[in-house]
Amino acid sequence: METDASFKVALSDVVVANRILALEGVLDAFGHCSVRDPRNPNRYLMSRSLAPALVTADDIVQHDLDNNAMSHPGQKLYYERWIHGEIYKSRPDVNAIVHSHSPTVVPFASTKAPLRPLLHNAAFLGFGTPVFEIRNFIPDSDLMISSAALGKALAEALGPTAQVVLLRGHGNVVVGPTMEIAVYRAYYTEINARQQMNAMTIGPNDVVYMNPGECTTTDKIMQASAERPWNLWKRKVQREMRRAAAEDAI
Amino acid sequence: METDASFKVALSDVVVANRILALEGVLDAFGHCSVRDPRNPNRYLMSRSLAPALVTADDIVQHDLDNNAMSHPGQKLYYERWIHGEIYKSRPDVNAIVHSHSPTVVPFASTKAPLRPLLHNAAFLGFGTPVFEIRNFIPDSDLMISSAALGKALAEALGPTAQVVLLRGHGNVVVGPTMEIAVYRAYYTEINARQQMNAMTIGPNDVVYMNPGECTTTDKIMQASAERPWNLWKRKVQREMRRAAAEDAI
Amino acid sequence: METDASFKVALSDVVVANRILALEGVLDAFGHCSVRDPRNPNRYLMSRSLAPALVTADDIVQHDLDNNAMSHPGQKLYYERWIHGEIYKSRPDVNAIVHSHSPTVVPFASTKAPLRPLLHNAAFLGFGTPVFEIRNFIPDSDLMISSAALGKALAEALGPTAQVVLLRGHGNVVVGPTMEIAVYRAYYTEINARQQMNAMTIGPNDVVYMNPGECTTTDKIMQASAERPWNLWKRKVQREMRRAAAEDAI
Amino acid sequence: METDASFKVALSDVVVANRILALEGVLDAFGHCSVRDPRNPNRYLMSRSLAPALVTADDIVQHDLDNNAMSHPGQKLYYERWIHGEIYKSRPDVNAIVHSHSPTVVPFASTKAPLRPLLHNAAFLGFGTPVFEIRNFIPDSDLMISSAALGKALAEALGPTAQVVLLRGHGNVVVGPTMEIAVYRAYYTEINARQQMNAMTIGPNDVVYMNPGECTTTDKIMQASAERPWNLWKRKVQREMRRAAAEDAI
C-alpha cells in the first residue's frame, strides 16, 4: 500500500536526519527533527524527548498539530514541540523542520549582524533570516518555545517565505519541503555562518553576498542537489550505527 | 545499604566526569573533577594525581576538607587539590567541582573582556564570572593553587553565588549541586566562550546577553536537563573504554 | 604496455585524489578532481556525478575536451564539468584539476581581501589568485560553471600562469602538472587561507607575505616534495577504504 | 649495559615524539624531531627523510653535528637537518629539538605580533620568541634551512636562553633538555598561540601576559610535569600503531 510505504520512508528519514545532524555537529544533546506525516497532513512525526544521537524508529511519536502525542501514550515529549505544530499549521509548503543550537548560528542570533547568503549552497538564506526575540513576548523567560502562544509567535516571525528563523540566545529553526532539504539547509546554515564570520574578519566592509535573483535561481538547483550529501551522510550514519551496535554487543 | 549505593554512584560519577570532559576537549592531560562524599559532607572523592582520561574507580581517593588523603596511603595527590577542600568548606550548596584549562575560557581569564551568558545552556554564568588574579596574593608564582591560603582566596573570589571562577593565565573552576550539573556547566562554559568570542567578532558593539531574570529562570530548567547530555556522553565514554580495553588486549 | 600502465596509475590517482580531499575536509559532498588522460591529451578522466568520498575506479569516465562522455554511456555527468575541458584546452601545462568549496577559501572569494602566499607550502599562490565574478557574465545565475561559455571565461580568468582561481560565493579551482601536485596545492590553499586569516587578525597592518622571488624558488622545491604528503594521505585513504569495506561486510 | 639502555629509550622516545606530534596536529607530513645521542653528545638521532606519522625505530639515523649520516648509508636525509646540528653545537643544555609548521604559530612568525606567554603551560615562551627572517641572509630563498650557514644563523637567532625560535613564513623550532619536554613545549606553543590569538580578538588592548618572574617559577614546575601528557599521548600513539598494524594485516 502506497501510504504505508511513504510512512516507512518518512519514519526512516526522521531517524536518519537526527543522526546526520548529530554526527555533523549541528545538533548536540538537544534539538529535534520532524517530518509531516505523509498519510495525514495534520500530523507530524518526531522522536519522544531524547538526545538526537540516540533516536531510533521505535522512538518516533505521531503528534497532532496541537503537539499532542497520537501514539506512544505516556512518553515524555519534547519541551519545545510547539515549534513544530505551529509552523506546520501556518506553512503548508513545509514538510520537515529542524530545531538546533547550531554553534556558529547562535552568535548571529545574538547580535545585530544579519546572517546573509554568502555561499551558493546557502542560497535559501536569501528568503529571510529573521531573529525571534522572546523578550518581546515574555520577560525573564527561559528562552525556550514552551507554549502554543510562543510557537505561534515564532511561526509569525518565520513568516510566509523564510526558510530559517534565528532564536536569540538559543538557536535556530530551519524548514523545507522534504526532510532531505531541511537537513541540507540546517547543515549549510552553519557552514554559511562560519564563512560569513570569516569574511567579516578579513574584509569587514566589502563582503559580497548573493543578490535576490541569484538566491532564487540557486535555491532551485540546490534543492535538486540535496540528495547527494544526504546519501553520503546516510552511509556514514548507517556505518556508525552498525559500529555502535557491534561494540555494544561485545 | 543506602549509603553504600550512593557512594558507588558517586564513585562511578567522578570517573565518568573525568572521561567525558577529556573526550569533549574541556580537560587535557591536566585538571580534575571531584564530588562530595555522599556518606560524609566533610570528605570528597577525587582521583590521585593522574591524567583525567586515565582515571578509573581504583584511583579515586577520599580526601578530607584539608585535602589530606583518607584512603590510598602513599599515593601522589593533585598539586592543586586545595581548590576543592576550600570550596567545599565555604559552599555547602556545592557537591561537585571541575577544574580545567578549558581552551577558550583562558582568553577570557587573561583579558578585561568579561565572560557573559550568551547561550541559554550557560545561564549559570549570570550568577557571576569573577577572575582570580594570583598576583594580588603572590608575586612571581607558578599561577597554581598550591596551598590552603590560595585555595581560600580562590573560594573567596568565587563568593557565595557564582558557579564559575576564572584563573588568570591558567583556567577555571566550575561548581554544581551534582556531578552531572558541574560537568554540564564545565562543557557549556567552553561553548559559551566560543560563541561569545564569535559574537564579539561579528558585532562587537551590539551583543545581546541574557539578563538576570532570564538567567535565573533558565538555570532552573537547565539543571533539570543536565541528565540528557550526561547520559549521551556516558554512552560514548563507555564505548571508548570498551574499545580501549579490547585494543589493549590484542 | 606503457600506455596502459600510465592509464592505470592515472585512474588510481584520480580516485585517491577524491578520497584524500574528502578525508581532509577540502571537498564536501560536492566538487571534483580530474586528470588528463596520459594516453591522449585531448581526453581527461573524472568521475561520473558522485560525492567525492564515494568515487571508485569503476566510476571514472573518460571525457573529451568538450566535456562529453567517451565511456560509460548514459551516466549522469558533473554539472560543472565545463571547468575541466576549458582549462585543459587553454593550459597545456596543466594535467590535473581540483574544484572544491574549500571552506576557508570561500571568504577570500567573497571579499576584496586577496589570498596571498604566507606559508612556504603555498608558494604557488604567488603566481596569482584571481577571483572570478560570474555576475560580470550572467545576472541572477546559480553561481555555477554550467556551460562551455562560462568554462571559457573561467579559464581566461585563471590566465596563463596562475595555479588557482577563486569563484565568488562558491569555491575555487586549483591546477597542477600532476594529480599529486594539484592535490597538494588544493590542500595548502586551504591551510594558507586559514593562516592568512589568523595573521590578519593578530597583525592586520603588518603581515609579511612571500615575495615573487621566494615564490618561484619555493614552488620548485615544493613540487618535488608533493609526493610525501600524497603517500601519507594515500595510506590513510586505503585504511579508510578497507575499514569501510570490512564494516559494510558485517 | 647502561649506555645501551639509554640508547634504546632515546630511540623509542624520538619515534614516539614524531607520532605524538603528528596525531596532535602539530606536525603535518613535514617537520622532524631529534634527540641527542645519550652515548655521545656529538651525535644526534633523527629519522631519515620521512613523514613523521610513518617513522619507526628502523628509520632512525645517527647524525654527527655536521649533519652527516653515521648509520644507514645511502638513505635520504631531511633537507633541513642543519637546524639540528647547529643548535646541538651551540646549546649544550639542549638534548631534543622539534621542527614543525605548527599551524597557529605561523601567523605569529609572519606578523609583528610577538608570541607571548599567556597560558601557564607555555611559561617557557617568556625566555624569548625571536623570529628568524631568512631574507636578511638570502634573497629569494625557499625559506628553508638548507645549509650549515643558515643553520648557524638560526642557532644564533635562538640565542643562549630562548626555547623557541619562529621562522617567518615557515614554522618554528622548539628545544628542551629532554624529548618529553621538547614535545610538551611544541604542543603548548601551538595552544598558547591559539589562546593568544583569541585573547587579542576579545580584548586587543588589555591582554595580561605572564611576567618574567612567573615564567621562571612556572617553567620549573612544568618541566617536572611534562611526563604526564607524554604518558597519555604515548598510550594513544601505541593504540594507533596497533590499530594500523591490525588493519594493514587484514
Side-chain angles (χ1 to χ4, degrees):
Chain A
M1 207 171 60
E2 194 183 282
T3 319
D4 258 312
S6 67
F7 171 68
K8 274 181 196 163
V9 169
L11 204 65
S12 162
D13 280 358
V14 74
V15 171
V16 169
N18 274 285
R19 300 292 189 120
I20 286 173
L21 292 172
L23 208 62
E24 296 297 329
V26 172
L27 291 166
D28 57 5
F30 301 101
H32 14 91
C33 304
S34 74
V35 66
R36 201 187 285 269
D37 192 329
R39 303 166 306 182
N40 180 347
N42 294 316
R43 300 282 183 274
Y44 69 91
L45 306 171
M46 184 166 71
S47 173
R48 65 186 176 90
S49 184
L50 195 66
L54 302 179
V55 170
T56 68
D58 291 343
D59 302 307
I60 304 303
V61 178
Q62 194 198 41
H63 296 70
D64 69 13
L65 297 193
D66 292 325
N67 307 294
N68 301 302
M70 307 304 286
S71 71
H72 297 63
Q75 288 288 3
K76 193 181 163 196
L77 303 181
Y78 283 126
Y79 180 65
E80 297 194 280
R81 60 193 181 280
W82 318 92
I83 294 168
H84 300 261
E86 295 302 326
I87 291 176
Y88 286 124
K89 276 185 205 167
S90 68
R91 288 281 296 266
D93 61 310
V94 167
N95 292 312
I97 298 173
V98 174
H99 166 50
S100 81
H101 306 161
S102 196
T104 321
V105 180
V106 173
F108 284 92
S110 298
T111 60
K112 299 267 181 297
L115 183 65
R116 295 184 61 187
L118 179 91
L119 177 69
H120 66 342
N121 298 287
F124 59 90
L125 295 177
F127 307 138
T129 55
V131 176
F132 179 73
E133 172 49 273
I134 200 168
R135 263 182 219 164
N136 297 338
F137 300 89
I138 305 185
D140 300 343
S141 78
D142 63 11
L143 274 65
M144 285 185 276
I145 307 301
S146 57
S147 70
L150 284 167
K152 215 173 160 202
L154 179 70
E156 275 163 21
L158 178 66
T161 57
Q163 306 297 315
V164 186
V165 57
L166 279 63
L167 290 79
R168 192 268 304 163
H170 176 175
N172 69 88
V173 174
V174 178
V175 303
T178 67
M179 193 78 254
E180 288 184 13
I181 290 171
V183 165
Y184 179 94
R185 286 175 174 170
Y187 178 79
Y188 280 108
T189 298
E190 171 67 19
I191 300 299
N192 191 94
R194 285 184 215 161
Q195 296 186 350
Q196 183 179 346
M197 180 175 71
N198 291 348
M200 291 170 79
T201 297
I202 60 174
N205 302 313
D206 60 13
V207 184
V208 182
Y209 296 101
M210 295 176 75
N211 66 31
E214 289 172 341
C215 287
T216 301
T217 307
T218 307
D219 180 58
K220 268 192 208 105
I221 194 154
M222 286 301 164
Q223 288 196 39
S225 303
E227 200 188 8
R228 194 194 294 177
W230 173 271
N231 286 337
L232 180 65
W233 288 326
K234 191 174 172 180
R235 281 172 77 119
K236 249 170 103 174
V237 157
Q238 289 172 329
R239 225 167 252 159
E240 176 75 11
M241 288 171 78
R242 273 202 305 273
R243 193 181 304 145
E247 287 179 351
D248 290 346
I250 293 175
Chain B
M1 207 171 61
E2 195 182 281
T3 319
D4 259 312
S6 68
F7 171 67
K8 274 181 196 163
V9 170
L11 205 65
S12 162
D13 280 359
V14 74
V15 172
V16 169
N18 275 285
R19 300 293 189 122
I20 286 173
L21 292 172
L23 208 62
E24 297 297 329
V26 172
L27 291 166
D28 58 4
F30 301 100
H32 15 90
C33 304
S34 73
V35 67
R36 201 187 283 269
D37 192 328
R39 302 167 307 183
N40 181 347
N42 294 317
R43 299 284 183 274
Y44 69 91
L45 307 171
M46 184 165 71
S47 173
R48 65 184 176 91
S49 185
L50 195 65
L54 302 179
V55 169
T56 68
D58 290 343
D59 303 307
I60 305 302
V61 177
Q62 195 198 41
H63 297 69
D64 68 14
L65 298 193
D66 292 324
N67 308 294
N68 301 303
M70 307 304 285
S71 70
H72 296 63
Q75 288 288 2
K76 193 181 165 197
L77 303 181
Y78 283 126
Y79 180 65
E80 299 193 280
R81 59 193 180 281
W82 318 92
I83 294 168
H84 300 261
E86 295 301 326
I87 291 177
Y88 286 124
K89 277 185 204 166
S90 68
R91 287 281 296 267
D93 61 309
V94 168
N95 292 311
I97 298 173
V98 174
H99 166 50
S100 81
H101 306 161
S102 196
T104 320
V105 181
V106 173
F108 284 92
S110 298
T111 60
K112 299 267 181 297
L115 183 65
R116 296 184 61 187
L118 179 91
L119 177 69
H120 66 344
N121 298 287
F124 59 90
L125 296 177
F127 307 138
T129 55
V131 177
F132 179 74
E133 173 50 270
I134 200 168
R135 264 182 219 165
N136 297 339
F137 301 88
I138 305 185
D140 301 343
S141 79
D142 63 10
L143 275 65
M144 284 185 277
I145 308 301
S146 57
S147 70
L150 284 168
K152 214 172 162 205
L154 179 69
E156 274 163 22
L158 177 66
T161 59
Q163 306 296 316
V164 187
V165 57
L166 279 62
L167 290 78
R168 193 268 306 163
H170 176 177
N172 68 89
V173 174
V174 179
V175 303
T178 67
M179 193 78 253
E180 288 185 13
I181 290 170
V183 165
Y184 179 94
R185 285 175 174 169
Y187 179 78
Y188 281 108
T189 298
E190 171 67 19
I191 300 298
N192 191 93
R194 285 184 216 162
Q195 296 187 350
Q196 183 179 346
M197 180 175 71
N198 291 347
M200 291 169 79
T201 298
I202 60 173
N205 303 312
D206 59 13
V207 184
V208 182
Y209 295 102
M210 295 176 75
N211 65 31
E214 289 172 341
C215 287
T216 302
T217 307
T218 307
D219 179 58
K220 268 192 208 104
I221 193 154
M222 287 300 163
Q223 288 196 38
S225 303
E227 200 189 7
R228 193 192 294 176
W230 173 270
N231 286 338
L232 181 65
W233 288 326
K234 191 175 173 179
R235 281 172 76 119
K236 250 170 102 174
V237 156
Q238 289 173 328
R239 224 167 253 158
E240 176 74 11
M241 288 172 79
R242 274 202 304 275
R243 193 181 304 144
E247 286 179 352
D248 289 347
I250 292 175
Chain C
M1 207 170 63
E2 195 184 281
T3 319
D4 259 311
S6 68
F7 171 68
K8 274 182 198 163
V9 169
L11 205 64
S12 162
D13 280 358
V14 74
V15 171
V16 169
N18 274 285
R19 300 293 189 123
I20 285 173
L21 293 173
L23 208 63
E24 297 297 329
V26 173
L27 290 166
D28 58 4
F30 301 101
H32 14 91
C33 304
S34 73
V35 66
R36 201 187 286 269
D37 192 328
R39 303 166 305 182
N40 180 349
N42 294 316
R43 299 281 183 274
Y44 69 91
L45 306 171
M46 183 166 72
S47 174
R48 65 184 176 93
S49 184
L50 195 65
L54 302 179
V55 169
T56 67
D58 291 342
D59 302 307
I60 305 302
V61 178
Q62 193 198 42
H63 297 68
D64 69 15
L65 298 193
D66 292 324
N67 308 294
N68 301 302
M70 307 305 284
S71 71
H72 297 63
Q75 289 288 3
K76 194 181 163 196
L77 303 181
Y78 283 126
Y79 180 65
E80 299 193 279
R81 60 194 179 280
W82 317 93
I83 293 168
H84 300 261
E86 294 301 326
I87 292 176
Y88 285 124
K89 277 185 204 167
S90 69
R91 287 282 295 267
D93 60 310
V94 168
N95 292 312
I97 299 173
V98 173
H99 166 50
S100 81
H101 306 161
S102 196
T104 320
V105 181
V106 173
F108 283 92
S110 298
T111 60
K112 299 266 180 296
L115 183 65
R116 296 184 60 186
L118 179 91
L119 176 69
H120 67 342
N121 298 288
F124 58 90
L125 296 177
F127 307 137
T129 54
V131 177
F132 179 74
E133 174 48 273
I134 200 169
R135 262 181 220 166
N136 298 337
F137 301 88
I138 305 186
D140 301 342
S141 79
D142 63 10
L143 274 63
M144 285 186 275
I145 307 302
S146 56
S147 69
L150 284 168
K152 216 173 161 203
L154 180 69
E156 275 163 22
L158 177 67
T161 58
Q163 306 296 316
V164 186
V165 57
L166 280 62
L167 291 77
R168 194 266 307 162
H170 176 176
N172 68 88
V173 174
V174 178
V175 303
T178 66
M179 192 79 253
E180 288 185 12
I181 290 170
V183 165
Y184 179 94
R185 287 175 173 169
Y187 178 78
Y188 281 108
T189 298
E190 171 67 19
I191 300 299
N192 191 94
R194 285 184 215 162
Q195 296 186 350
Q196 184 179 345
M197 180 175 70
N198 291 347
M200 290 170 79
T201 297
I202 61 174
N205 302 313
D206 59 14
V207 184
V208 182
Y209 296 101
M210 296 176 74
N211 66 30
E214 289 172 340
C215 287
T216 302
T217 308
T218 307
D219 180 59
K220 265 189 211 107
I221 193 153
M222 287 300 162
Q223 288 196 40
S225 302
E227 199 188 8
R228 194 194 293 178
W230 172 271
N231 286 339
L232 181 64
W233 289 325
K234 191 174 172 179
R235 281 172 76 118
K236 249 171 103 175
V237 156
Q238 289 172 329
R239 225 167 251 159
E240 176 76 11
M241 288 171 79
R242 272 202 305 273
R243 193 180 305 144
E247 287 179 350
D248 290 346
I250 291 175
Chain D
M1 208 171 60
E2 194 183 282
T3 318
D4 259 311
S6 68
F7 171 67
K8 273 181 197 164
V9 169
L11 204 63
S12 162
D13 280 358
V14 74
V15 172
V16 169
N18 275 285
R19 300 293 188 123
I20 286 174
L21 293 172
L23 209 62
E24 297 297 329
V26 173
L27 291 166
D28 58 3
F30 301 101
H32 15 90
C33 304
S34 73
V35 67
R36 201 187 284 270
D37 193 328
R39 302 167 304 182
N40 180 347
N42 294 317
R43 299 283 183 275
Y44 68 92
L45 307 170
M46 183 166 71
S47 173
R48 64 185 176 91
S49 184
L50 195 65
L54 303 180
V55 168
T56 68
D58 291 343
D59 302 307
I60 304 303
V61 178
Q62 195 198 43
H63 298 69
D64 69 15
L65 298 193
D66 292 325
N67 309 294
N68 301 303
M70 307 304 285
S71 71
H72 297 63
Q75 289 288 3
K76 193 180 164 197
L77 303 181
Y78 283 126
Y79 180 66
E80 298 192 280
R81 62 194 179 278
W82 317 92
I83 293 169
H84 300 261
E86 294 302 325
I87 291 176
Y88 287 124
K89 278 185 203 167
S90 68
R91 286 281 296 266
D93 61 310
V94 167
N95 292 312
I97 298 173
V98 174
H99 166 51
S100 80
H101 306 161
S102 196
T104 321
V105 181
V106 173
F108 284 92
S110 298
T111 61
K112 299 266 179 299
L115 183 65
R116 296 184 60 186
L118 179 91
L119 177 70
H120 66 343
N121 298 287
F124 58 90
L125 296 177
F127 307 138
T129 55
V131 177
F132 179 74
E133 174 48 272
I134 199 168
R135 263 182 219 164
N136 297 338
F137 300 88
I138 305 186
D140 302 342
S141 79
D142 62 12
L143 274 64
M144 285 185 276
I145 307 302
S146 56
S147 70
L150 284 168
K152 214 172 163 204
L154 179 69
E156 274 163 23
L158 177 66
T161 59
Q163 305 297 315
V164 186
V165 57
L166 280 62
L167 290 77
R168 194 266 306 161
H170 176 176
N172 68 89
V173 174
V174 178
V175 303
T178 67
M179 192 78 254
E180 288 185 12
I181 290 170
V183 165
Y184 178 93
R185 286 175 173 170
Y187 178 79
Y188 281 108
T189 298
E190 170 67 19
I191 300 298
N192 191 94
R194 285 184 215 162
Q195 296 186 350
Q196 183 179 346
M197 181 175 69
N198 291 347
M200 290 170 80
T201 298
I202 60 173
N205 302 313
D206 59 14
V207 184
V208 182
Y209 296 102
M210 296 176 74
N211 65 32
E214 289 173 341
C215 288
T216 302
T217 308
T218 307
D219 181 57
K220 266 190 210 107
I221 193 153
M222 287 299 163
Q223 289 196 39
S225 303
E227 200 188 8
R228 194 194 293 177
W230 172 271
N231 286 339
L232 181 65
W233 289 326
K234 192 174 172 180
R235 281 173 75 119
K236 250 170 101 174
V237 156
Q238 289 172 328
R239 225 167 251 158
E240 176 76 10
M241 288 172 80
R242 274 203 304 274
R243 192 181 304 144
E247 286 179 352
D248 289 347
I250 293 177

